[in-house]
Amino acid sequence: MQGNILLLIAVMLPVLAAPVAYAAGRRQHRRALLWMAGVSAASFLLLSVVLYMAVRGQTLTFAWEQFGVMGLHLAADGFRALFAWLSALLFTGASIYSVSYFKTKTNVPRFVFFTLLTLSAVIGLFVSDRMLTTVMFFEVMSLASYPWVAHEETPEALRAAQSYLWIAIIGGLCMLMGMLLLPAELWSLSYSQGLPRGVDASRLMLPAVLMLIGFGAKAGAFPLHVWLPRAYPAAPAPAAALLSAVLSKAGVFGVLLLSVYIMGDMPAWHTLIFWIGIVTMLVGGVWALLSMNIMRVLAWSSMSQIGFILVGAGLYGLLSAHGSIAAQGLFAHMVNHSLFKAILFLCAGIAVMNVGKRHLNDLRGFGRGKPWLHFAFLMGMLGVAGVPLWSGFASKSMLHESLTAYLHLLPSGAWPYAAAEWLFILSGGMTVAYMLKLYICLFWEHPEGKPDKRPYAPRTSLAVILTLSVFPLLMGLFPALFMDGLSGIGARFLLAHAEPFAVFSAENLLGAAWSIAAGLILYFVVIRGLLSEKIEGGRGYMNPVPARVNLEDIVYRPALKALEAAVAWFSWAVAMLPEALLALLRRALLHVRAWRVPMPGGNRFTSALGELLNGVAWLLNRTVRKKHPIDLDFACALAATNEELGRSMKRLKRSLSYNLLLFCVGLFGLLAYLIFV
Amino acid sequence: MLLIAVLIPIAGSALIFSLGRKGRRIRRWIAITSTVATSVFVCLALLTEPGRSYVLLEFTPRMTIAFQLDGMGTVFAGLIAFLWPLAMVYAFEYMEHEPSENAFFGQYLLSYAMTLVIASSQNLFTLYFFFESLTLATVFLVAHGFSRRSVYAARKYLYYSLGAASLGFLSMISVLVYSDTTAFVYGGIPALQQAPHTMMLLLFVLGFFGFGVKAAVFPLHGWLPTASVAPTPVTSLLHAVAVVNAGVFSVARLAYYVYGPTLISGTWAQTLCLSMAAFTILFASARAVHEQHLKRRLAFSTISNLSYMLFGLMLLTPLGLKAGLLHMIFHSLVKITLFSCAGAIMVQTGRQYVQELRGLGRQMPIVMTVFAFCAVELVGIPPFIIFQSKWALVTAGFQSGHIVGILGVVVLLISAGFTAAYLLKPAVTAFALPLERRAGEKRDPGWQMRTLFFVMVAAMLSLVLLGKPIADYLTHMVGL
């Protein structure tokens, strides 16, 4: 082992504490939750130290060659240290929030155990330095977060968990296959060292696509996003917050590794990522407009924002030398989105915890008279929507500007990319629209019955949410300070250099204005006009699309079932082969008579002919004479006829007339012979 | 030292047989003392005198029964020396539920002796001799209880083993014909390199299938799923570890120490054997997905994993040998634990089918947690041990340059997907789905079974860190 042991402790602390927390919580659940919060906070402090040193320019590294197959390699430069730190921060916040959320729930020690395991894996993932280490932590993280989704153990939760697990496993296997197909020198590539030289680029496309399947599925990219809308509503709110804020970024981290380090020189790859991002953005936005379940809206929203980030990743690659704005934008958006989603999910969690239901129609007006919740949700919403003076505006503007910069580089006939820009603005508008839907439904509608004046959330939970919600406003008011600071930290990992960026320029404000206008139009026309109706007491929201219309049920599950059936048939057929061979051998070598024993009264000839005619009859029955099948067994019939014939022949041969006939024939013969010879 | 190690279990077995029905305690004491003493002596033999050969019996100057513990033998002998005492303790608790313990433990000890001799044989004649006697020692274990199904399974096992061992006999005799000796030489017996090439290849293929019947290569795999009607200590130790690994071991000896890679590499024989191994991997995993009986499902999983080993071995490179042996060690650990879990479930609750495992995690948390852990291992999740051995297999496959070697990598990954389907799914549903409680079912097993579980899980976890030294030892052994 060499390097700074602090990194190893930061990674291993949660996983080592997990069994302890589990055991502590067996009697009293609260103790387990407190352990979880404490360990997360300890990790957070450790990682703060790491981050501080990274910001100072000192990258901590750690290597352990004896571990597993190719050793364990960690390094914490600015980007990675920041994300590990941010993850630990969000885990700590969610853990403190969980202390009250899980008051009435069961199976808490199990939740704590796997949350700590996931935390270890996430930290390890973000500070990993080699491809194999990254993949290892990624797999462990995917598996360890499964109990989050399955926690409630309702049928929906279990089904969502099933999708989650299958996509995690299949994605993980594709990822491993991709990694194995990579040239061997890339396995020991350290991210801190930068791009490798002299690798044949054409060999990389297939492995990179395979690895993209694994990473992209976790990030929520189309078309492997199908687990998102089921898993997020099914998981408990703090787990959903972590899934969206942290684990999806882990997937994006993997995609960035591919884009920056492995496929850096291939425009085809970056174009692929760009368009995947555009589609993801749109699909997420559309479904978020339509959904009625608050958690599901936020899930689709996460997918949409990940689409924005992927667009930025694609643009960064396409712009290559001029792409620093894209790099800064996507990095800033990753950080911002994590914050926003954490805030939004935790707020939604409070609503769900109190009302007990997730449907918008049941949550109407919950937020009335709850100023702190209102403030927090508003901060999150304005951040996600990209309203100027909140931090989302800066990151979205950076992404928008990189898109326009790319458009300038292209020849004028490139209409798909011009259309992409409008789609970008439209997605921004959709974001505004569905967030406005949630906001107005929660805080401005009138609830059924009298508003509940009891305390709706313990102060610690509110404190957590409020602490987080200060940042969108703060970072939005002083963008130069925060964005430049972030860029300075993170740019080196993405192999970019930090460029100053004018946040409040005219184009950016105009872009934001277009988005917000589109959003307001969408809200008033689509949501208020088409998707809701006035019912007594307020507004009822509805979703015209039936629930069974989704990619998973229509495409993936039938395809997997067909595959399973094919595999079953194949293995049955192959398994029959030795048995068939043995039966054939037995028949051949042991002279087992396979011919049918002739029926009484029949002989070989009748039975053979009878079998033949039976076969013909069967064929005819199947085809021509379906309505009036031939019912006769020819073998029996022929045997009976034969027997009848034999009997009558016997009788005949014994009769007088027959013998007289023969006598006469003989007499005539004799006469003929005497006359003619 | 080694001779003593072999003689102890034979003596112990004889003692047990002479005991008759009385005295469970005495029987157990004899069994466990013999086993532990044997293991101790084996370890001593490994440490103190590697490479020394003894001649036990000389039929003719060319056909001798001789022992020697070289690198490969050390690995195999060390593995079974570690596993047999644990399995013996497990069997104590398990066999309380089955009749005629006396004969069982006598034969169990005897098969320990036989396997040890296979591991430490110095020439092909010895290997063949004790290969056949292992069949005889284990056939009555399969037939334990003498129900119709057990007798059928034992007959099938016997016919397959004896029938195919005749092929091995052909191979061995041909070696005697063409060379002076059957002693193992790393890289192949020199005299055989001068023999007619096609004849040698043909005899190698015959020997591959002959010895490979114990390694359950398609199409000679049929006995293994049927043999899972045997009591679980038999299935877990013998049919997942000792007997089948003896098959793999023999194939390795045949390929690397008798005929030699230079003779076979690049020929149709290698392609044939590699393809059969790769096909078995895929076929057995696919078949396992649809098998509903738990032990049979694990049996198909064993068949698949055995072919991973055969695949590695038939790459005929030093890396391939290392990968095959590494997988042999790690898979044995995981499989014996999986079968032991299945046995514990059967004994405590009587549930035999995979659907019946639903929700069992609430009733038998320790057993099902261990099962889930082994399932995660077997799928090949880094950084656990099966991933390490699969990684070795994959790198060996790529490096071999053989087309089937590279295709085999794809096969390995598809098979990993199937493994997730047939192992991870029951492991997850055991915890996720509700439990259907039945009357008269018991909870987690006693301390004897649990010892096996805890030791195994501890071994698997520590090997995550210590796997590298084992791999390095093997690398050194194959001369890289």
Side-chain angles (χ1 to χ4, degrees):
Chain A
M1 295 195 233
Q2 53 205 132
N4 204 315
I5 199 122
L6 185 66
L7 269 183
L8 182 70
I9 298 179
V11 171
M12 289 297 175
L13 178 65
V15 73
L16 292 173
V20 179
Y22 181 82
R26 292 287 290 275
R27 298 277 171 199
Q28 203 190 18
H29 289 176
R30 200 182 143 82
R31 248 189 276 162
L33 293 166
L34 289 174
W35 264 96
M36 181 167 81
V39 169
S40 313
S43 286
F44 171 68
L45 288 172
L46 284 172
L47 286 165
S48 308
V49 173
V50 171
L51 178 63
Y52 177 71
M53 295 175 79
V55 168
R56 285 277 168 172
Q58 185 188 4
T59 303
L60 293 178
T61 59
F62 177 79
W64 187 0
E65 293 294 341
Q66 291 302 311
F67 186 88
V69 178
M70 289 184 86
L72 185 73
H73 296 90
L74 307 171
D77 66 348
F79 184 97
R80 287 178 274 176
L82 181 71
F83 271 104
W85 175 85
L86 188 65
S87 312
L89 172 69
L90 292 171
F91 264 84
T92 313
S95 308
I96 299 176
Y97 177 95
S98 305
V99 175
S100 63
Y101 187 86
F102 281 96
K103 255 204 189 102
T104 51
K105 304 236 181 220
T106 54
N107 282 316
V108 172
R110 179 179 78 186
F111 180 84
V112 167
F113 181 81
F114 284 104
T115 307
L116 287 175
L117 208 57
T118 315
L119 176 60
S120 251
V122 163
I123 297 177
L125 176 78
F126 278 126
V127 297
S128 59
D129 200 35
R130 300 269 167 98
M131 196 52 91
L132 192 53
T133 313
T134 310
V135 167
M136 174 179 90
F137 280 119
F138 195 86
E139 296 249 24
V140 173
M141 176 190 81
S142 297
L143 288 185
S145 46
Y146 165 82
W148 278 356
V149 184
H151 187 260
E152 309 265 338
E153 293 182 19
T154 59
E156 302 85 37
L158 289 175
R159 193 176 152 93
Q162 189 189 35
S163 309
Y164 184 79
L165 189 63
W166 274 114
I167 293 198
I169 300 260
I170 294 177
L173 288 174
C174 288
M175 201 161 57
L176 271 175
M177 181 144 30
M179 191 175 66
L180 291 169
L181 291 173
L182 282 176
E185 51 269 18
L186 286 179
W187 292 343
S188 49
L189 167 71
S190 164
Y191 306 141
S192 318
Q193 287 167 11
L195 267 173
R197 295 262 159 260
V199 178
D200 182 14
S202 57
R203 285 179 56 191
L204 297 176
M205 194 63 172
L206 177 64
V209 167
L210 285 170
M211 294 187 80
L212 180 66
I213 293 178
F215 288 124
K218 182 59 80 202
F222 185 88
L224 290 166
H225 61 281
V226 292
W227 58 275
L228 258 175
R230 286 191 210 237
Y232 283 31
L242 290 174
L243 274 172
S244 170
V246 179
L247 265 64
S248 58
K249 304 301 174 302
V252 174
F253 180 73
V255 175
L256 283 176
L257 284 176
L258 291 174
S259 286
V260 172
Y261 286 96
I262 298 189
M263 304 298 282
D265 290 329
M266 291 197 66
W269 170 266
H270 299 294
T271 319
L272 176 70
I273 300 284
F274 176 80
W275 284 108
I276 288 180
I278 296 275
V279 175
T280 310
M281 247 171 30
L282 286 172
V283 169
V286 167
W287 284 108
L289 282 178
L290 293 171
S291 293
M292 295 296 113
N293 180 325
I294 187 171
M295 299 290 220
R296 190 164 298 145
V297 172
L298 290 175
W300 288 119
S301 166
S302 301
M303 181 183 164
S304 187
Q305 301 303 314
I306 295 286
F308 279 99
I309 298 173
L310 288 175
V311 166
L315 284 172
Y316 175 52
L318 288 170
L319 286 169
S320 53
H322 313 281
S324 39
I325 291 292
Q328 286 168 251
L330 79 92
F331 178 53
H333 203 65
M334 280 171 80
V335 174
N336 285 341
H337 177 246
S338 295
L339 276 175
F340 302 150
K341 272 300 165 349
I343 298 170
L344 290 169
F345 267 107
L346 294 180
C347 290
I350 288 185
V352 167
M353 186 168 71
N354 278 287
V355 176
K357 304 212 187 87
R358 295 181 156 109
H359 200 281
L360 281 181
N361 290 344
D362 300 314
L363 293 170
R364 270 204 320 259
F366 171 78
R368 265 185 173 268
K370 301 183 171 80
W372 295 116
L373 191 67
H374 193 141
F375 173 75
F377 194 90
L378 197 59
M379 294 297 110
M381 176 194 130
L382 292 171
V384 170
V387 174
L389 294 185
W390 274 267
S391 52
F393 170 66
S395 55
K396 281 202 180 165
S397 305
M398 280 197 252
L399 290 171
H400 192 187
E401 181 161 316
S402 52
L403 184 51
T404 46
Y406 185 62
L407 274 177
H408 286 317
L409 285 181
L410 288 176
S412 51
W415 63 268
Y417 290 91
E421 192 197 351
W422 288 109
L423 290 174
F424 187 94
I425 296 184
L426 181 65
S427 301
M430 286 199 276
T431 314
V432 172
Y434 59 70
M435 289 312 302
L436 206 55
K437 172 172 87 172
L438 288 182
Y439 174 67
I440 292 191
C441 173
L442 274 179
F443 295 100
W444 291 104
E445 302 269 352
H446 290 274
E448 288 178 33
K450 295 189 70 72
D452 204 341
K453 287 292 182 192
R454 287 178 302 165
Y456 57 95
R459 270 181 250 170
T460 45
S461 302
L462 275 179
V464 166
I465 303 179
L466 285 170
T467 323
L468 287 175
S469 55
V470 167
F471 284 96
L473 183 57
L474 204 58
M475 289 164 73
L477 285 174
F478 305 104
L481 183 64
F482 283 95
M483 294 302 135
D484 288 343
L486 275 178
S487 313
I489 296 175
R492 198 162 66 91
F493 179 74
L494 297 171
L495 302 180
H497 48 276
E499 264 183 28
F501 177 72
V503 175
F504 291 107
S505 66
E507 300 96 46
N508 294 335
L509 288 170
L510 189 64
W514 275 114
S515 272
I516 295 176
L520 288 172
I521 295 176
L522 274 174
Y523 178 73
F524 284 103
V525 171
V526 177
I527 295 183
R528 280 186 103 99
L530 298 176
L531 296 178
S532 69
E533 51 195 11
K534 269 204 176 308
I535 57 177
E536 77 294 335
R539 176 168 299 280
Y541 296 91
M542 58 168 208
N543 186 352
V545 180
R548 50 186 174 74
V549 174
N550 59 66
L551 191 60
E552 180 183 349
D553 288 337
I554 294 180
V555 175
Y556 290 134
R557 278 182 190 255
L560 273 180
K561 285 221 157 44
L563 185 68
E564 200 185 342
V567 164
W569 182 86
F570 164 73
S571 59
W572 171 85
V574 168
M576 283 296 120
L577 274 179
E579 308 279 319
L581 186 68
L582 278 175
L584 191 66
L585 280 177
R586 184 167 168 263
R587 205 182 272 188
L589 297 177
L590 297 181
H591 268 288
V592 172
R593 299 259 169 255
W595 300 110
R596 300 284 165 89
V597 177
M599 303 207 172
N603 54 33
R604 284 268 160 91
F605 171 69
T606 60
S607 61
L609 187 61
E611 287 298 317
L612 183 68
L613 289 174
N614 276 345
V616 170
W618 179 85
L619 198 65
L620 284 177
N621 284 346
R622 284 292 171 110
T623 52
V624 174
R625 293 193 56 157
K626 261 198 184 148
K627 294 284 171 70
H628 313 281
I630 302 172
D631 229 348
L632 192 58
D633 182 8
F634 286 96
C636 283
L638 283 176
T641 322
N642 192 34
E643 188 175 3
E644 184 82 41
L645 199 66
R647 243 184 285 134
S648 38
M649 280 308 291
K650 226 189 260 182
R651 243 185 283 135
L652 189 66
K653 283 189 192 150
R654 293 201 190 134
S655 66
L656 184 61
S657 46
Y658 182 71
N659 289 301
L660 267 180
L661 200 63
L662 284 180
F663 179 69
C664 290
V665 169
L667 211 55
F668 272 123
L670 191 63
L671 277 174
Y673 176 71
L674 285 175
I675 292 174
F676 291 110
V677 172
Chain B
M1 196 81 59
L2 190 56
L3 277 176
I4 304 177
V6 168
L7 284 173
I8 294 180
I10 299 183
S13 154
L15 258 177
I16 290 186
F17 277 123
S18 65
L19 258 189
R21 293 275 169 98
K22 51 182 164 38
R24 174 180 280 178
R25 285 198 58 165
I26 302 181
R27 183 186 314 130
R28 286 192 181 182
W29 271 111
I30 297 178
I32 194 66
T33 339
S34 321
T35 318
V36 172
T38 316
S39 298
V40 165
F41 274 101
V42 166
C43 292
L44 281 176
L46 294 179
L47 293 170
T48 57
E49 36 187 64
R52 211 172 122 188
S53 62
Y54 306 87
V55 175
L56 180 61
L57 273 182
E58 219 183 80
F59 293 108
T60 80
R62 293 199 302 172
M63 294 182 349
T64 62
I65 303 243
F67 305 134
Q68 181 189 38
L69 271 180
D70 63 350
M72 229 167 76
T74 315
V75 165
F76 191 29
L79 178 70
I80 57 179
F82 173 65
L83 291 174
W84 224 281
L86 289 170
M88 191 64 87
V89 173
Y90 177 90
F92 287 158
E93 186 171 332
Y94 190 94
M95 295 306 289
E96 283 170 15
H97 305 269
E98 299 259 351
S100 47
E101 277 183 50
N102 202 47
F104 179 86
F105 281 108
Q107 287 154 9
Y108 214 54
L109 269 182
L110 200 59
S111 26
Y112 188 9
M114 297 297 131
T115 322
L116 261 182
V117 178
I118 292 184
S120 51
S121 41
Q122 188 249 5
N123 55 45
L124 189 56
F125 181 73
T126 318
L127 183 74
Y128 172 76
F129 194 93
F130 284 98
F131 197 81
E132 295 269 39
S133 47
L134 182 64
T135 310
L136 292 175
T138 52
V139 70
F140 287 107
L141 283 172
V142 176
H144 189 87
F146 291 105
S147 69
R148 276 192 71 192
R149 290 172 66 190
S150 304
V151 171
Y152 170 71
R155 277 176 60 196
K156 200 165 176 181
Y157 175 47
L158 196 63
Y159 291 161
Y160 267 87
S161 296
L162 290 180
S166 61
L167 297 173
F169 180 73
L170 269 175
S171 198
M172 179 197 69
I173 290 296
S174 71
V175 170
L176 269 178
V177 165
Y178 284 102
S179 82
D180 269 345
T181 164
T182 57
F184 293 130
V185 176
Y186 184 52
I189 297 178
L192 289 180
Q193 318 288 326
Q194 269 72 15
H197 193 73
T198 323
M199 176 71 88
M200 286 296 111
L201 287 181
L202 186 64
L203 288 162
F204 170 74
V205 170
L206 286 179
F208 176 83
F209 283 106
F211 289 109
V213 73
K214 281 242 191 325
V217 64
F218 182 87
L220 301 163
H221 63 283
W223 62 274
L224 192 50
T226 322
S228 48
V229 299
T232 306
V234 176
T235 340
S236 70
L237 188 58
L238 292 172
H239 294 143
V241 174
V243 166
V244 295
N245 281 345
V248 172
F249 185 78
S250 314
V251 170
R253 284 284 196 207
L254 209 62
Y256 289 87
Y257 286 79
V258 174
Y259 289 94
T262 36
L263 190 68
I264 314 169
S265 190
T267 62
W268 59 269
Q270 186 193 22
T271 316
L272 174 67
C273 298
L274 259 182
S275 320
M276 276 320 220
F279 181 76
T280 314
I281 297 176
L282 206 54
F283 161 67
S285 325
R287 186 72 181 76
V289 177
H290 295 283
E291 183 59 59
Q292 297 303 325
H293 189 263
L294 181 60
K295 276 177 75 176
R296 270 206 292 275
R297 181 178 277 204
L298 292 176
F300 277 110
S301 170
T302 307
I303 298 175
S304 178
N305 278 281
L306 289 171
S307 288
Y308 282 33
M309 301 174 214
L310 287 177
F311 173 80
L313 290 175
M314 288 315 298
L315 291 170
L316 292 174
T317 62
L319 263 182
L321 178 62
K322 168 195 159 187
L325 290 179
L326 198 64
H327 196 70
M328 182 173 92
I329 302 173
F330 290 157
H331 169 255
S332 305
L333 292 177
V334 179
K335 226 4 134 8
I336 197 176
T337 320
L338 274 173
F339 268 111
S340 306
C341 292
I345 295 172
M346 277 172 66
V347 137
Q348 299 289 104
T349 65
R351 298 182 186 216
Q352 296 185 30
Y353 288 89
V354 170
Q355 302 94 298
E356 296 173 318
L357 289 180
R358 279 182 199 159
L360 205 54
R362 290 171 233 297
Q363 192 170 310
M364 303 181 76
I366 296 184
V367 172
M368 291 317 291
T369 315
V370 173
F371 187 89
F373 178 65
C374 292
V376 167
E377 286 253 5
L378 205 57
V379 172
I381 307 284
F384 297 116
I385 55 178
I386 298 283
F387 175 76
Q388 296 179 18
S389 57
K390 280 194 190 175
W391 177 267
L393 283 168
V394 160
T395 23
F398 272 135
Q399 273 216 2
S400 72
H402 202 280
I403 179 74
V404 183
I406 299 180
L407 279 178
V409 173
V410 178
V411 164
L412 275 174
L413 283 160
I414 298 179
S415 165
F418 286 144
T419 311
Y422 66 70
L423 265 190
L424 210 52
K425 196 159 166 237
V428 164
T429 54
F431 290 100
L433 292 180
L435 173 64
E436 179 202 308
R437 289 195 190 273
R438 300 183 191 171
E441 281 187 348
K442 290 175 268 181
R443 302 179 65 88
D444 274 320
W447 68 269
Q448 286 146 324
M449 286 190 181
R450 276 189 277 177
T451 319
L452 181 104
F453 293 142
F454 289 139
V455 171
M456 283 303 171
V457 170
M460 285 188 249
L461 280 174
S462 56
L463 277 175
V464 169
L465 302 174
L466 298 175
K468 202 88 189 293
I470 295 187
D472 289 336
Y473 172 78
L474 282 173
T475 317
H476 171 72
M477 183 201 93
V478 302
L480 277 174

